[in-house]
Amino acid sequence: MKYTSDVFQRLSRGQFISANSIQPAVRAIYNDIEDNEKEYTDYFAHIDFQLEGGDGYYYFARNEQKVITENKLRSLLVWIDYLDFLTSYDSTFGAGTQFTLARMEVRVGSDVELKEKLSNIFDDKPSTHDKLLALANALESQGFAELVSQEESMYQVTNAYRYITHIIDCINIDEEVKDEIPE
């Protein structure tokens, strides 16, 4: 357990530690957690943090009250729109995918459906580039993507992206009540 402080610093801020991070230091932390998972789990349990692992990533989870959980569910609504846009842009979009804002901008410019989806998400941004930059920044700030090349505005999707896709996939709306949900 060489990285307890680093793990706490990253995860306590709601970030993820991904196996496929472009940063060698983050990959080293991931590998140490993986090698010593029980020790890390026990260590953080003493301060009421639950170390959880997903498919190639780690994060902190906490037992929360129902009100907090409901607020988190509300905050997921925007991620549903983000994922809808990203999978419409590329049906294979996921962990390991590399994308550039320039390529996305070209594709959005030639696809009316993508342009409409992006405009609905970021109606406050004036240009397609600004909208895509806001999306990339949201992915990066949550740890779902990392900037690979600033010159090219190239990003790589981390394994932590599976966290949000898994949560969204778990949302199940029963067909019988689907028509009862107000829009």
Side-chain angles (χ1 to χ4, degrees):
M1 287 192 7
K2 299 187 282 190
Y3 300 104
T4 53
S5 177
D6 295 317
V7 170
F8 183 79
Q9 290 297 320
R10 293 183 73 80
L11 300 185
S12 66
R13 290 183 279 162
Q15 296 177 329
F16 293 83
I17 295 174
S18 294
N20 72 336
S21 174
I22 62 168
Q23 301 170 30
V26 174
R27 288 193 310 267
I29 294 169
Y30 176 88
N31 290 333
D32 193 55
I33 295 172
E34 190 174 52
D35 292 344
N36 303 288
E37 188 169 347
K38 180 167 179 16
E39 291 85 357
Y40 275 104
T41 300
D42 293 345
Y43 180 84
F44 289 114
H46 291 293
I47 55 173
D48 202 25
F49 282 88
Q50 292 175 250
L51 179 66
E52 297 287 338
D55 188 8
Y57 61 91
Y58 287 99
Y59 65 98
F60 276 156
R62 294 188 81 160
N63 292 328
E64 297 171 336
Q65 297 173 352
K66 186 177 179 180
V67 173
I68 295 171
T69 302
E70 289 174 5
N71 290 338
K72 283 189 172 189
L73 287 172
R74 275 197 269 302
S75 70
L76 284 175
L77 292 176
V78 71
W79 283 99
I80 293 171
D81 291 336
Y82 291 171
L83 295 180
D84 179 46
F85 172 81
L86 293 169
T87 55
S88 295
Y89 167 73
D90 178 357
S91 62
T92 63
F93 195 93
T97 300
Q98 288 192 342
F99 65 93
T100 66
L101 296 184
R103 276 187 255 155
M104 286 182 109
E105 196 166 353
V106 168
R107 176 79 188 283
V108 168
S110 65
D111 188 321
V112 175
E113 182 183 356
L114 281 177
K115 189 171 194 161
E116 185 176 311
K117 286 181 183 206
L118 189 62
S119 292
N120 289 338
I121 298 170
F122 297 105
D123 59 354
D124 61 328
K125 304 290 182 201
S127 69
T128 299
H129 180 78
D130 291 340
K131 294 171 198 257
L132 291 171
L133 184 59
L135 176 60
N137 287 338
L139 289 166
E140 188 177 20
S141 72
Q142 292 297 312
F144 300 144
E146 294 179 346
L147 185 62
V148 174
S149 168
Q150 191 163 1
E151 301 82 38
E152 297 177 53
S153 293
M154 178 182 284
Y155 295 83
Q156 179 173 311
V157 180
T158 66
N159 289 342
Y161 183 78
R162 294 177 181 138
Y163 173 82
I164 194 67
T165 60
H166 177 72
I167 288 176
I168 300 302
D169 287 345
C170 288
I171 297 172
N172 183 19
I173 299 175
D174 189 1
E175 288 298 319
E176 293 177 14
V177 292
K178 184 176 173 182
D179 296 327
E180 298 176 19
I181 299 172
E183 294 187 29

